[in-house]
Amino acid sequence: MTLKAVRVLGEAEVVAIPKSKEESYSIALSIVKGAVDLSKKETLELMFPMTKDKEVLRKAREEAAAAICERLKGGKDVACITLGDPMFYSTFSYLIPLLRARVPGIEIEIVPGISSVMASAAMTVTPLTEADERLAVIPATYEQEKLRDILREFDTVVLMKVNRVFDKVLGLLEELGLKEKAVFIERCGGENQRVVRDLDSLKGEKLDYLSMVIVKRGNLEQ
């Protein structure tokens, strides 16, 4: 967490905690609790199901926005926590237009965070870009042919959400001769973080949702 994030959370009267129904606890909340005393604050859980059903997601986001706006209209400041950065693959970004529609003139301040991409690059000592190199950050669930093209085109590729399609990604990296140029990172910065360079050792394993693969055509730090 940044110092500004700690300060903002310390000043807010309500801390909103996005989590999925599948989660028994919020990872983001466990991090915040290590830096901010929440005992005298209202904590507001916002439930976001892990689904691609657009109607289910729409309803969940509307309910979350309504809960936040209820506190705002009551004169309270609300700080919404999230893993990584709020503007990078974050649940919070979907709430912005809903909040603005419900409370015209609402003041929304974004506190930049440390994205998993930057944290993983630091953890593995992997420069993402140098000189005129090009970087692509995409979900690993991208269409196979498009993913193949991107891996061929860009100097560095960060594959997010790799857990469910890892074996397919591994086969593609092997086909393109990039397997030895890749590194797997899981739960970066957490107690159970893991860095694996022997990608073959992960084949068939049930991987954590918070995992990614960085592929860099240059040499990775050994």
Side-chain angles (χ1 to χ4, degrees), residues 147-155 157 159 169-183 197 199 213-218 220:
L147 183 55
R148 180 182 282 105
D149 290 341
I150 289 170
L151 285 165
R152 283 172 172 160
E153 257 184 74
F154 287 82
D155 303 285
V157 179
L159 300 172
V169 168
L170 179 60
L172 188 55
L173 293 175
E174 189 163 18
E175 173 195 326
L176 298 174
L178 294 172
K179 188 172 67 174
E180 306 305 320
K181 303 288 188 180
V183 58
R197 298 184 187 277
L199 269 59
V213 169
I214 299 177
V215 185
K216 186 172 179 62
R217 292 184 177 277
L220 288 168

Side-chain angles (χ1 to χ4, degrees), residues 11-165:
E11 294 172 352
E13 297 165 275
V14 181
V15 176
I17 309 158
K19 59 183 292 189
S20 72
K21 292 182 179 178
E22 292 79 5
E23 290 176 315
S24 57
Y25 74 104
S26 166
I27 299 174
L29 179 59
S30 67
I31 295 170
V32 168
K33 281 183 174 180
V36 181
D37 181 8
L38 301 180
S39 61
K40 296 181 180 180
K41 299 181 184 295
E42 177 187 358
T43 53
L44 174 65
E45 287 194 349
L46 308 177
M47 306 304 294
F48 296 98
M50 299 286 283
T51 178
K52 291 186 178 181
D53 187 314
K54 292 183 179 179
E55 181 56 28
V56 172
L57 289 172
R58 184 199 64 78
K59 183 178 179 182
R61 291 164 184 166
E62 288 285 358
E63 290 176 352
I68 291 174
C69 289
E70 180 182 343
R71 274 72 180 177
L72 294 175
K73 290 177 180 178
K76 296 180 179 179
D77 287 332
V78 180
C80 186
I81 64 174
T82 186
L83 285 175
D85 186 276
M87 299 289 97
F88 186 77
Y89 287 117
S90 170
T91 302
F92 179 74
S93 62
Y94 295 103
L95 298 181
I96 295 173
L98 301 179
L99 294 172
R100 285 176 170 162
R102 288 175 174 271
V103 184
I106 184 176
E107 182 179 343
I108 298 176
E109 179 184 6
I110 302 297
V111 179
I114 302 167
S115 76
S116 57
V117 173
M118 299 305 172
S120 294
M123 177 63 62
T124 57
V125 195
T126 305
L128 293 175
T129 54
E130 297 175 302
D132 57 354
E133 291 179 344
R134 294 181 303 159
L135 167 69
V137 181
I138 60 170
T141 51
Y142 222 51
E143 294 177 30
Q144 188 87 345
E145 283 305 311
K146 291 183 178 179
L147 183 55
R148 180 182 282 105
D149 290 341
I150 289 170
L151 285 165
R152 283 172 172 160
E153 257 184 74
F154 287 82
D155 303 285
T156 306
V157 179
V158 179
L159 300 172
M160 310 284 291
K161 304 177 183 179
V162 75
N163 59 314
R164 292 185 180 179
V165 294

